[in-house]
Amino acid sequence: MVSRVRQTVRTPPRNQIRFAPESHGDLQRGVETLERVLGPTIGPAGHPIAFSRIGRPGESPELLLNGATIARRLIGIEQPFANMGLMLARQAAWTARSAGGDAPALAVAIMASALRTASRFASAGANQIQLRRGMDAGVTRISAELDTLARPAAEAEIAGLATTLSRDPEVAEIVLRAAAAVGPEAVVVAMESRGRTIDLEVIEGALWETTAVIGPMQAEGRAGFTWLDGPAVLIWDAPLSDPMAFAGCLDRLRRNGVQQLVVLARSFSREVFGLLALNTLPDFTVVPVETPNEGANQLTTLEDIAVLTAARILRPEANDRLGEVPIDALGRAERIVIGRRMLNIRGETESTLCTQRIAAIRKTLTDAGDESDERRLLTRLGRLQGGMAVVWVGAPTITQRADRVTNLQRALAGLRSARRSGVIPSLVDACTFASKATTTETATDEELGIRAARLAMLAPVTWLARNAGLESGHESAAIAEPPFAGIRTWDMVVPTCELI
C-alpha cells in the first residue's frame, strides 16, 4: 500500500491577523497535516509515500520512507496560519533526522499529540505558562527513563536490526557485509547503479573526491588511473605558480633519491604544467594533484592527509620556501591511486599520530551538533581507519532503485545510532514505559503539562497499530492508563520494532 501526496505550491495571502483561540487551532491543523503525511510510515508495517517528481512530468513517482525527506518535499499549504504549524512540525522532523530509524515521523506524531492535549487543557482554563513548564518537566523525565531502558546492541541482534530498518533482506545483507568488511564506523557510500543487482565495492585506504586531478597519466596506469607504490608526498598549502622554484625543488628531491612524487597544492599555474610536460626522465615520476576541495573543511582534509602520510604541511606564510623543501618534510604512502576525479591514499593508519587523531575525532563526534557535522566526522574517521565501502544499488525500475538507496541509508544511520546510543526492545515498550513514568494523580496546571507529555508518548503506538491493520480503540485505552493491560498484545504484533 502506498500513500499518495499531491504537492501544491500557492502564495499565501498577506496582511492577515488572527488571534487566539482561532490562531491556535490553525497552527494545530498545520501540525496535524504533517502528522497525517508521516504517520503511515511508522513501524515495520508502515508504507512509503509517493511523490510526483517536480518538473519531470510523466516519470514514475518517487517512494519515500524517510520522514525528514518527506517533510522537506512539503513546500507549504494555502492557509498561512496553518502553514506556520506545518513549518514548525517540518523543522521538528528535520531536527530529529539524525537519530535514525523512524525518529522524524515519531517526533511529529508526539508533537501533534502533545499539542492537541495541551490545547484542550488550555481551552479548559489551564495557565499556558504552567502547562509549558510541566511539559518541559515531562520531557526531562521521559528522557531519563528512556536512558535507563536503553541497552547496548548485541552483535547477535545486528542482523535483525538491519532487516527491520531496511525492510529489504537483500539490502540488509549488503549492509552487514559492508560493516564486516570495513568496520562498523567506517564510511559506506550508497550510489545508484544502472544494473539490477546490489554490489559491494571495498576501497582500501582513504578516498577523496576532487574537483580536478591534473597531470600526465603514466603508461603503467590501469583503467585511466595512476598507481604509485611507495611514493613521496609533498603538501603545499598554497597555489603553486613559480616554475623556477618548483624546478629547483624537483631537482633537489631527485638528487636525494626520490623517484615517485605526488605534489598536493591548491592550484597549479600553466607555467608549472609546462615544466612538468618537459619532465621525460624515466626514473622520476611527478604527479600534481589539486587539494581536495571540501570548502571550509579543506584545512582538516590537508591535516588528515598529512597524518596518513607523516608529511609536514608547507605554507609560504610560515616562511617555507618551495626551492628549499627539506627531505624530512615529505611524507610517504604505501600506495596512492590517482584518477581524474578521485584520490586514494593507503597510508600509515596505525601510526601514533593517526591513532591520536582518531581518538580526537571520536571525542568530537559525541558532541556533534547536527547530522552534517556527524556525517563529516564519520567520513574523516573512516578515511583515517583505512577503509571505505561503496554500495552500487541497482533495481529493475528507477523508483525501486531510489527506494533501495533510501532503505540502505536508513539502515546505515540506524545501525550507527544503535551502536552509539543503544537500543530499546520495542517501540511499544518505550512509549508505555515512558508514559508510566510521568503518571501523576494531582491536577495542577504544571502537572497537567506532565500529563500531556505522557499521553503524547502513546501517539506512535496508535499509528503503529493503524499501519498494522488494527483498530486502536480499546487497545490504546488499555495502554493509556495503568496497569497497561494491553501491552502483551502489542508485543506479538511488532516483535522486532526497535526504537533507535
Side-chain angles (χ1 to χ4, degrees):
M1 181 177 180
V2 175
S3 297
R4 294 184 176 272
V5 176
R6 183 179 181 183
Q7 300 183 85
T8 58
V9 182
R10 301 178 182 177
T11 303
R14 298 180 178 179
N15 301 325
Q16 292 189 11
I17 299 177
R18 190 73 56 89
F19 296 98
E22 291 81 6
S23 60
H24 294 170
D26 291 337
L27 287 172
Q28 183 175 333
R29 279 192 293 273
V31 174
E32 291 175 345
T33 298
L34 187 58
E35 181 195 19
R36 290 196 299 271
V37 174
L38 298 185
T41 67
I42 293 177
H47 49 270
I49 308 298
F51 278 85
S52 59
R53 300 180 186 271
I54 299 177
R56 292 185 286 178
E59 290 191 12
S60 58
E62 56 180 345
L63 302 179
L64 301 177
L65 268 172
N66 182 273
T69 305
I70 295 172
R72 189 169 56 180
R73 293 291 192 276
L74 299 178
I75 302 174
I77 54 180
E78 182 177 6
Q79 213 286 331
F81 295 93
N83 189 62
M84 294 179 191
L86 175 66
M87 292 298 106
L88 288 173
R90 185 173 181 261
Q91 180 62 30
W94 194 246
T95 302
R97 73 192 187 279
S98 61
D102 291 317
L106 295 181
V108 174
I110 293 172
M111 176 183 179
S113 178
L115 183 59
R116 281 192 295 269
T117 306
S119 297
R120 187 168 68 250
F121 290 157
S123 299
N127 183 281
Q128 297 181 26
I129 301 299
Q130 296 297 323
L131 279 176
R132 168 62 187 271
R133 291 175 180 171
M135 294 178 71
D136 289 341
V139 169
T140 302
R141 294 188 190 180
I142 290 170
S143 299
E145 294 298 331
L146 289 180
D147 288 340
T148 63
L149 189 62
R151 57 175 174 77
E155 289 299 324
E157 298 174 327
I158 295 298
L161 185 59
T163 303
T164 300
L165 291 169
S166 64
R167 307 184 185 188
D168 186 333
E170 189 176 358
V171 172
E173 181 184 358
I174 286 292
V175 169
L176 296 175
R177 285 175 52 195
V182 297
E185 293 182 338
V187 179
V188 180
V189 181
M191 302 291 291
E192 293 189 4
S193 170
R194 295 187 178 274
R196 296 194 173 195
T197 60
I198 304 179
D199 299 314
L200 175 65
E201 179 184 1
V202 178
I203 301 174
E204 296 183 3
L207 178 68
W208 285 271
E209 294 182 0
T210 59
T211 54
V213 177
I214 314 167
M217 295 294 103
Q218 308 303 316
E220 64 271 23
R222 286 178 271 174
F225 293 93
T226 297
W227 295 65
L228 302 176
D229 291 321
V233 179
L234 170 62
I235 302 178
W236 183 255
D237 187 18
L240 206 159
S241 56
D242 188 347
M244 298 301 295
F246 188 46
C249 172
L250 295 181
D251 183 64
R252 186 168 179 270
L253 295 179
R254 186 179 64 83
R255 285 188 284 106
N256 280 274
V258 176
Q259 296 182 346
Q260 295 181 336
L261 178 66
V262 175
V263 182
L264 275 83
R266 292 186 180 271
S267 62
F268 297 87
S269 66
R270 293 184 178 181
E271 292 78 9
V272 170
F273 289 148
L275 173 66
L276 293 173
L278 297 176
N279 177 32
T280 58
L281 298 176
D283 60 341
F284 188 50
T285 302
V286 182
V287 182
V289 179
E290 286 191 355
T291 303
N293 184 10
E294 298 187 357
N297 303 316
Q298 191 174 54
L299 178 58
T300 59
T301 299
L302 278 179
E303 292 174 349
D304 290 344
I305 294 176
V307 167
L308 281 173
T309 60
R312 180 162 65 87
I313 301 176
L314 303 176
R315 297 183 175 93
E317 57 268 23
N319 295 324
D320 292 321
R321 297 184 179 181
L322 192 60
E324 301 175 0
V325 173
I327 298 298
D328 58 3
L330 300 182
R332 289 282 180 178
E334 181 182 343
R335 171 175 290 179
I336 294 182
V337 182
I338 305 167
R340 291 288 176 180
R341 295 291 177 184
M342 57 81 71
L343 171 65
N344 177 225
I345 298 177
R346 188 187 304 176
E348 294 294 333
T349 59
E350 297 182 359
S351 65
T352 303
L353 287 176
C354 191
T355 303
Q356 292 174 351
R357 195 163 185 84
I358 288 175
I361 294 176
R362 288 183 189 276
K363 184 178 179 180
T364 308
L365 186 60
T366 59
D367 301 326
D370 53 30
E371 186 185 13
S372 60
D373 291 339
E374 181 181 354
R375 185 170 55 249
R376 176 177 58 83
L377 291 171
L378 284 171
T379 301
R380 292 180 57 200
L381 190 62
R383 286 167 175 164
L384 292 175
Q385 289 177 335
M388 300 180 67
V390 178
V391 180
W392 297 96
V393 182
T397 64
I398 297 176
T399 301
Q400 186 177 358
R401 181 169 64 236
D403 185 48
R404 279 184 166 182
V405 170
T406 301
N407 290 340
L408 177 67
Q409 294 170 343
R410 175 194 183 98
L412 291 171
L415 288 179
R416 290 193 187 106
S417 180
R419 293 181 183 277
R420 183 175 64 251
S421 305
V423 296
I424 294 175
S426 79
L427 174 63
V428 177
D429 284 343
C431 293
T432 53
F433 185 75
S435 63
K436 181 179 179 180
T438 57
T439 301
T440 178
E441 300 297 334
T442 55
T444 64
D445 291 347
E446 185 170 340
E447 286 159 346
L448 286 176
I450 297 177
R451 186 175 299 176
R454 171 178 69 86
L455 294 176
M457 289 301 299
L458 296 172
V461 178
T462 303
W463 276 106
L464 191 149
R466 187 178 302 172
N467 296 338
L470 303 175
E471 293 296 333
S472 58
H474 66 280
E475 291 90 347
S476 292
I479 293 177
E481 299 294 339
F484 306 96
I487 188 170
R488 300 317 306 172
T489 303
W490 296 106
D491 280 352
M492 289 186 290
V493 173
V494 284
T496 59
C497 180
E498 284 84 1
L499 176 66
I500 305 303

